[in-house]
Amino acid sequence: MGVSDTDLVMVCAGDLAGQLRGKAVPRRNLEARRDTGIGWTPTNVFITSFGPIAPSPWGALGDLLIRPDFAALVDLDLADWGVRESFVLGDILELDGTHWSCCPRGQLKAAAARLEERHGLTIQAAFEHEFHYSGAEAQPGLGYALRALRRMGDFPDRLMAVLDRAGLTLDTFMPEYGPGQCEVTVGHQPALRAADEASILRELVRATARGLGARASFAPILDPDGVGNGVHVHFSLLDSNGEPVNHDGAQPFGVSRTAGAFLAGVLRHLPDFLALTAPAVVSYLRLTPNRWSAAYTNLGNQDREAALRICPVFGPREDSHVARAFHFEFRAADAAATPHLVLAALINAGIAGLDADLPTPTVTEADLSTLDPAQVADLGCQRLPQSLAEALDRLAASDWARAAFGETLVDTFLRHKRTEIEVMEGLSEAEMCGVYGRGY
Ligand code: GLU
Ligand code: MG
């Protein structure tokens, strides 16, 4: 049928539940919405992923708008594949055009601007996503297997084509370790674009799966005894000339003083912001030792159980190549979190480390779960909060978080997520995984 000017384009924004929500307008009216946006209601931020709306201090009062950012427009008409996706990401603004404090995209823009103003630095990031695809016969033992890829039929190739047409830089696809689990990685981008692409990628994975009569779930974990679906954020810092500042061959493990202070800030504040990056009740089933996720506030060298990992440099050993390729990975995030808030949290915490000129954290090379708590403490590390309730209490008590994200964001987040905990009460771990599996 082709594209008609009455076809709908959804103007949407990421929210605290990790969902894209908004309103759709006929294509012929989209341009007129460039400045005026679409009307939005503060209380919408309390819509949980499971139905109930958390108690809102605003009730039926108040008006906001979502203003589309046409740089984040996805417009795909791949009807043969059942992928007809037209949506544009936007910012949730007050009526005077200033950012609403609960807009994750606004939080990220503010954090990135602070990093640039205070320290002359920008951040590049790439989000690595794991998810489960329902459309192939799942079988244990086929992690990374060619047979697992083949069983997924058209899905992986279609997905690459869909992401390519949406303007993402293709990198890798893999049949991950868990039965039915996949991972997709894309190229790095400046912070805002990287987070936008993470939001876009999740929706396009879902859309591609749906076009094949299947489903993709990004829930943090689908089986309490299985592996989780992580979101790993690869990142690096650049100076005002766009030169990377992460590597210094004279420093231990090559971590420059600038990067070391940033990373130290991230680890210092990680227990306080973890609820923002791992915001589901079941996130804490994933963040346990021996699952290759993250369980401690450590900087690990090439360690896939570290909250922050120093990534290996592949290819030539020349200084210029190493300086460009050397980077870090944050592993304590999942797709119940809005990517913009994940990056905002990393940047805000990194700024705190830079402000205080914190020393580079001790780089760990051991399995911390085999050490006793005193040994872990000697390394300057601590166990991450072990439940969403505990992580929320840490967030609530953090003066740093209230200053960095603002009181409104913190209080709104706490209300929303404490309601989510109530929704899950009485469910077994397996039942919760099922509910989150559908919710994400
Ligand atoms: N599935 C693991 C996680 O939950 C990550 C495995 C890997 O290193 O890719 O983070
Ligand atoms: Mg993986």
Side-chain angles (χ1 to χ4, degrees):
M1 231 175 79
V3 178
S4 151
D5 73 348
T6 57
D7 285 351
L8 293 169
V9 181
M10 183 103 165
V11 179
C12 41
D15 72 359
L16 301 187
Q19 308 288 351
L20 290 184
R21 301 185 207 263
K23 297 178 183 175
V25 297
R27 179 178 296 271
R28 63 163 78 124
N29 296 354
L30 184 62
E31 186 52 41
R33 300 280 178 164
R34 185 181 284 272
D35 293 321
T36 58
I38 54 143
W40 201 239
T41 309
T43 290
N44 288 352
V45 75
F46 289 110
I47 304 175
T48 67
S49 291
F50 310 100
I53 302 184
S56 164
W58 303 303
L61 302 175
D63 280 296
L64 301 164
L65 60 99
I66 302 179
R67 182 187 287 160
D69 178 348
F70 284 81
L73 173 72
V74 172
D75 202 13
L76 298 176
D77 181 25
L78 302 165
D80 289 351
W81 295 351
V83 178
R84 299 187 73 229
E85 290 287 313
S86 297
F87 62 92
V88 56
L89 305 185
D91 297 304
I92 310 176
L93 305 175
E94 304 275 4
L95 298 189
D96 67 4
T98 55
H99 271 106
W100 186 46
S101 46
C102 296
C103 171
R105 208 163 181 262
Q107 285 278 348
L108 175 55
K109 286 183 177 177
R114 272 195 294 272
L115 179 65
E116 199 157 2
E117 272 159 34
R118 297 239 276 266
H119 298 283
L121 297 171
T122 60
I123 200 159
Q124 295 253 348
F127 283 72
E128 185 179 301
H129 282 94
E130 292 172 338
F131 61 91
H132 277 75
Y133 175 63
S134 73
E137 187 198 340
Q139 181 179 322
L142 292 186
Y144 300 104
L146 179 58
R147 290 172 59 198
L149 185 72
R150 187 182 301 124
R151 279 180 192 201
M152 286 188 241
D154 287 340
F155 174 70
D157 287 343
R158 275 194 198 179
L159 178 61
M160 291 301 105
V162 168
L163 296 179
D164 184 50
R165 285 181 203 206
L168 279 61
T169 309
L170 303 184
D171 186 42
T172 64
F173 178 94
M174 65 199 90
E176 249 283 5
Y177 171 72
Q181 194 180 30
C182 305
E183 175 177 320
V184 61
T185 65
V186 294
H188 59 78
Q189 296 287 351
L192 181 65
R193 178 65 193 169
D196 283 350
E197 288 193 357
S199 297
I200 290 167
L201 179 140
R202 292 173 196 178
E203 297 306 327
L204 295 183
V205 169
R206 292 183 176 115
T208 307
R210 195 183 159 87
L212 285 154
R215 244 203 114 225
S217 179
F218 286 84
I221 190 164
L222 287 164
D223 167 4
D225 299 321
V227 290
N229 287 321
V231 170
H232 303 162
V233 186
H234 291 255
F235 65 93
S236 61
L237 296 164
L238 309 178
D239 68 16
S240 51
N241 298 319
E243 293 300 320
V245 295
N246 309 287
H247 190 258
D248 177 352
Q251 298 291 335
F253 297 92
V255 180
S256 73
R257 277 292 303 117
T258 302
F262 186 96
L263 299 175
V266 171
L267 293 184
R268 171 177 284 185
H269 293 297
L270 174 54
D272 297 338
F273 73 70
L274 184 66
L276 299 176
T277 65
V281 176
V282 296
S283 298
Y284 295 82
L285 299 176
R286 169 178 168 257
L287 295 177
T288 48
N290 307 314
R291 264 185 229 265
W292 291 34
S293 56
Y296 296 87
T297 60
N298 65 318
L299 171 63
N301 184 44
Q302 300 178 9
D303 173 2
R304 288 186 175 73
E305 291 243 308
L308 281 175
R309 178 169 87 108
I310 303 173
C311 296
V313 173
F314 300 105
R317 297 286 95 195
E318 278 102 67
D319 286 354
S320 59
H321 173 74
V322 173
R324 268 205 180 275
F326 190 75
H327 74 278
F328 312 100
E329 179 190 34
F330 177 72
R331 299 175 65 86
D334 61 54
T338 299
H340 301 77
L341 217 43
V342 173
L343 259 189
L346 285 178
I347 295 172
N348 283 335
I351 290 172
L354 290 164
D355 285 350
D357 195 20
L358 295 181
T360 302
T362 303
V363 176
T364 62
E365 292 189 282
D367 176 354
L368 299 195
S369 70
T370 63
L371 306 183
D372 62 47
Q375 290 171 308
V376 172
D378 281 348
L379 291 166
C381 304
Q382 45 175 303
R383 182 75 173 84
L384 294 178
Q386 291 180 50
S387 67
L388 180 59
E390 188 187 338
L392 292 174
D393 287 346
R394 289 293 304 255
L395 180 69
S398 169
D399 291 337
W400 164 78
R402 289 181 182 278
F405 302 98
E407 297 280 349
T408 307
L409 184 279
V410 171
D411 289 336
T412 302
F413 191 82
L414 292 170
R415 278 170 181 260
H416 181 127
K417 289 292 165 175
R418 284 177 171 153
T419 298
E420 185 167 323
I421 292 174
E422 284 169 21
V423 171
M424 296 301 151
E425 253 159 36
L427 298 184
S428 69
E429 289 180 350
E431 286 167 339
M432 271 194 284
C433 286
V435 172
Y436 275 100
R438 290 185 289 280
Y440 291 93

